[in-house]
Amino acid sequence: MKTLKGPGIFLAQFMRPEPPFDRLETLADWAAGLGYVGLQIPTGVGGLFDVEKGAESQAYCDDVRGMLADKGLAITELSTHLQGQLVAVHPAYDELFDGFAPPEVRGKPKARQEWAAAQVKAAARASQRLGLTAHATFSGALAWPYFYPWPQRPAGLIEEAFAELGRRWKPILDVFDECGVDACYEIHPGEDLHDGATYERFLDEVKGHPRACLLFDPSHFVLQQLDYLDFIDRYHDRIRAFHVKDAEFRPTGRSGVYGGYQGWVDRPGRFRSLGDGQVDFGAIFSKLAAYDYPGWAVLEWECALKHPEDGAAEGAPFIRDHIIRVTERAFDDFAGSGADAAANRRLLGL
């Protein structure tokens, strides 16, 4: 069994125009100074890593990896959350999601989708050059506007949405397979893959593709009132990435899971800094250790109340204290009798 790696930090929520948050090198210094040993790096428009260059240039990948290694850091995964979102966009969200794409494909849904698919494929190849085995992304969504069954959905609508999602992702997953990298979909509201049932439906459409894996983030399970521990039991063999993010859900007679169109501070379900919410991380880290999870524990910070720099500073020791160093022997080995097969038969009266 392997001990989970960490602490890592997802840099997306900390990127800002001012130093040290404006460049990968200075962000790396900041993260290392807080005690992180791994970085999950966002890509795409305004990202910190050029996946197109990384897909083609081993020298570029070696330079980035070497720069980080000099600071005591490793890359946990690259992220194409924004590009993955653009692989499948319902027209209702076209204008809202255009900002995730470069100017030349905005207002052009087909061109935007082609750009996004090429970006995710490039990330697979860059990940291979970086020596990574997992990649963080979103599935995108075609059926999300119809998640609540009113008005009644026409027969076959959801089936066709997932069939199309499978058609779009299958060629991308094949590239991940060629590169030896797992595509890890973050189970997340707003994506067609937002719970176990939708993940299973997608897995059916891609014929159980071995690279269609999971990024586990318990905060999204709290906000949907899903059992995140049972999810690990069900899908642990597909979990290849892990966001350590806290959340709380405090419903009232006025508002519940759907949030009443309120801002994050006032919603019954909201994200919190690590330790300030309701997630049972002791149980999560125990289950991941028991199932021999092979990857990283990566802080994703989102909180409506706490300052991000405080959340980041608290996150590294929180994760470090929860990582279970897996034992190499059973706790009761001292009491072992050393009996052999013949002795076992005698004990059984055989």
Side-chain angles (χ1 to χ4, degrees):
M1 295 179 69
K2 297 175 288 294
T3 295
L4 181 152
K5 294 173 285 189
I9 184 170
F10 186 26
L11 295 177
Q13 283 80 11
F14 300 99
M15 294 164 55
R16 304 203 293 272
E18 66 271 15
F21 305 103
D22 56 338
R23 294 188 300 120
L24 178 58
E25 186 170 3
T26 51
L27 265 169
D29 287 328
W30 169 77
L34 295 176
Y36 292 98
V37 296
L39 303 180
Q40 188 177 93
I41 302 178
T43 68
V45 176
L48 298 171
F49 182 90
D50 185 333
V51 292
E52 293 178 351
K53 188 173 182 180
E56 300 297 330
S57 172
Q58 189 62 49
Y60 173 68
C61 290
D62 290 345
D63 286 346
V64 172
R65 187 169 54 180
M67 178 271 290
L68 295 177
D70 289 343
K71 303 175 188 297
L73 293 163
I75 301 174
T76 66
E77 300 91 11
L78 297 178
S79 155
T80 56
H81 282 86
L82 303 188
Q83 302 99 307
Q85 182 78 69
L86 299 184
V87 169
V89 177
H90 187 279
Y93 296 99
D94 268 338
E95 187 172 349
L96 291 172
F97 282 144
D98 257 353
F100 292 175
E104 59 269 21
V105 299
R106 292 174 188 169
K108 304 172 183 176
K110 188 174 187 300
R112 185 186 62 201
Q113 177 196 332
E114 291 170 350
W115 172 84
Q119 281 270 301
V120 183
K121 290 176 182 177
R125 299 185 178 102
S127 294
Q128 182 183 35
R129 291 189 182 277
L130 290 164
L132 304 177
T133 58
H135 177 73
T137 195
F138 277 153
S139 68
L142 298 172
W144 182 252
Y146 310 106
F147 84 97
Y148 195 79
W150 179 259
Q152 186 179 26
R153 295 186 293 253
L157 177 70
I158 302 303
E159 288 77 7
E160 179 55 28
F162 275 85
E164 177 63 22
L165 195 68
R167 286 190 287 267
R168 295 186 186 188
W169 273 103
K170 176 62 166 56
I172 300 172
L173 289 169
D174 288 344
V175 174
F176 275 90
D177 201 29
E178 293 166 9
C179 295
V181 179
D182 294 323
C184 303
Y185 297 100
E186 182 169 356
I187 298 301
H188 190 291
E191 310 303 315
D192 278 342
L193 275 59
H194 58 269
D195 59 11
T198 51
Y199 173 65
E200 290 176 16
R201 190 187 286 265
F202 175 74
L203 210 55
D204 287 343
E205 293 297 337
V206 295
K207 306 297 187 288
H209 201 292
R211 298 299 175 179
C213 293
L214 293 164
L215 188 164
F216 173 70
D217 181 337
S219 68
H220 303 301
F221 293 73
V222 172
L223 269 57
Q224 294 185 77
Q225 290 296 280
L226 290 165
D227 187 332
Y228 48 80
L229 298 178
D230 181 64
F231 184 90
I232 297 174
D233 289 334
R234 291 172 183 265
Y235 306 110
H236 59 87
D237 60 334
R238 291 277 184 165
I239 295 173
R240 292 292 182 269
F242 172 28
H243 274 173
V244 189
K245 190 169 77 173
D246 213 342
E248 63 185 353
F249 182 69
R250 304 182 187 280
T252 68
R254 180 170 176 266
S255 186
V257 169
Y258 299 121
Y261 297 111
Q262 298 173 99
W264 281 110
V265 170
D266 299 318
R267 293 174 70 90
R270 56 187 185 176
F271 303 124
R272 299 300 308 274
S273 282
L274 287 184
D276 294 343
Q278 298 169 334
V279 175
D280 185 350
F281 285 105
I284 288 172
F285 276 81
S286 294
K287 280 192 177 289
L288 292 176
Y291 285 123
D292 205 19
Y293 166 68
W296 286 81
V298 176
L299 168 73
E300 184 184 23
W301 178 88
E302 289 180 338
C303 183
L305 300 176
K306 185 169 286 185
H307 193 283
E309 292 177 43
D310 292 342
E314 295 168 359
F318 185 96
I319 294 172
R320 190 181 305 111
D321 289 347
H322 277 81
I323 291 175
I324 296 170
R325 182 183 176 191
V326 177
T327 183
E328 297 173 352
R329 61 188 183 90
F331 68 89
D332 56 356
D333 278 356
F334 75 94
S337 65
D340 57 20
N344 287 340
R345 291 185 62 81
R346 288 195 302 272
L347 290 169
L348 292 169
L350 301 174

